Amino acid sequence: MTRWYEGPLAAFDTETTGVDVEGDRIVSAALVVQDMAGARPRVTRWLIDPGVPVPAAATEIHGLTDDFLHRNGRWPAPAVEEMARALAEQCAAGRPLVVMNAPFDLTLLDRELRRHRASSLGRHLENVPLCVLDPRVLDKHLDRYRKGRRTLTDLCAQYGVELEGAHDAAADALASLELVRAVGRRFASRMERLSAAELHALQAVWHAAQARGLQAWFSRNGTEESVDPAWPLRPEVPAAAA
């Protein structure tokens, strides 16, 4: 029987105008599908003109300028609809969806759907079995006492995963996919009895515990930042609270 981390996986990643899921926009995204470990990946890319200026700090990270996006990017509405449908298709096909720091990318896509399509990610996924694998949550639970940062670049170095062209959506998605496989192999003795669906449920619990720990650390250090325990998608913020 093929273990989940050797079988079919799909990975999704976005590049954005910033880190605020409620206000920032997607400028590029990619979906990488691999039918089994070592198989040739299939890549779908989206490039979007977000309709708002791209801050210099964001351009410095992913290299996408206003001028380039105006000339080459698509209007957001049909692009984000395609993304949501593509994710739903992968879920319907039974492929676990790898998303590094899932509450960021999936929530941002949800807000873009609400903004441009009067829809939601939940609406697209309501009739399919959602199964997300988040390498950040998995690593933080399985190797919780290891010190150091847990960005995609850091985790790839930790697990020996090649990351070429970081902050390109397709490169990051492929690296996240290979990273999940590497985590599964390293912790095979603890993971082999769990299905991807069981891991999805467990990660929601693990992420909530991790969020509580980080919130407590912020409180001890006098930081007012709030940590959302929801995973893999944050609930919509009521209009009155936005």
Side-chain angles (χ1 to χ4, degrees), residues 1-8 35-37 181 192:
M1 181 177 178
T2 302
R3 294 169 179 172
W4 63 262
Y5 48 85
E6 303 292 357
D35 292 326
M36 61 180 294
R181 295 197 190 282
E192 62 184 358

Side-chain angles (χ1 to χ4, degrees), residues 34 38 50 53 59 62-64 105 119 137 159 166 185 196-197 203 221:
Q34 193 178 42
T59 296
H62 51 57
L64 299 172
D105 293 83
S119 183
V137 174
Y159 286 88
R185 291 169 187 141
Q203 284 169 103
N221 288 274

Side-chain angles (χ1 to χ4, degrees), residues 9-34:
L9 294 175
F12 179 70
D13 187 76
T14 66
E15 297 299 326
T16 68
T17 59
V19 296
D20 176 10
V21 295
E22 302 300 336
D24 279 307
R25 312 294 176 90
I26 297 172
V27 295
S28 71
L31 177 68
V32 175
V33 179
Q34 193 178 42

